[in-house]
Amino acid sequence: MAGSLPRERPRPARDPGLQPERTRLAWRRTTLSCTLVAILAGRQVVQHHGPGPVVVVAVALVLLVWLAFLAAAHLRMRAMGTGRPPVLSARTALALAGCVCALAVLGAAILL
C-alpha cells in the first residue's frame, strides 16, 4: 500500500556500554565545580570583616542555587542507573543551565 505507515521495528535490547558511567562522571564533575564556587563564595565572606549586605545576599543566593543544582544533578545521576534513562526534558535542561549561569554571575558579583 502506498499510503500506509511503515511498521516500527522492534528495538533490540539496549547495550549502554560505558556511556551511562561517563555521563554520571560528567555530572559529578559539574557538581564539584558548582560546589567549589559555593565554597569560594563562603570563604570570601569569612575573610572580609563586616561584609556588606549585597555580599551576604549573594552568598545566600549562591547556596540556594547550589542546593537546587545539587538536587537536580543527583536525580539525573540516579536516572543513569536505569536500563533506559529518561530523556532530559527541555524544562530541566533550561533550569540547570540557569543554575550554572546564576552561579557564574553571583560568583563574579561576590568577587567585585
Side-chain angles (χ1 to χ4, degrees):
M1 254 183 227
S4 66
L5 296 174
R7 285 183 137 176
E8 211 176 291
R9 292 185 212 160
R11 290 184 179 180
R14 181 173 185 260
D15 179 20
L18 294 176
Q19 186 271 331
E21 183 179 355
R22 287 190 308 266
T23 303
R24 274 193 302 275
L25 289 172
W27 277 107
R28 288 179 198 254
R29 283 190 307 269
T30 305
T31 304
L32 181 61
S33 299
C34 291
T35 302
L36 184 62
V37 169
I39 289 171
L40 290 175
R43 180 176 176 245
Q44 186 72 13
V45 170
V46 170
Q47 285 184 343
H48 285 53
H49 300 291
V54 172
V55 173
V56 173
V57 168
V59 168
L61 289 174
V62 163
L63 292 176
L64 184 66
V65 169
W66 173 71
L67 286 173
F69 185 86
L70 190 65
H74 179 72
L75 289 175
R76 192 64 190 159
M77 283 188 281
R78 288 190 68 198
M80 289 288 114
T82 62
R84 186 174 291 276
V87 176
L88 184 66
S89 70
R91 182 177 174 185
T92 304
L94 186 60
L96 289 169
C99 284
V100 171
C101 291
L103 280 173
V105 168
L106 290 168
I110 289 170
L111 291 176
L112 298 177

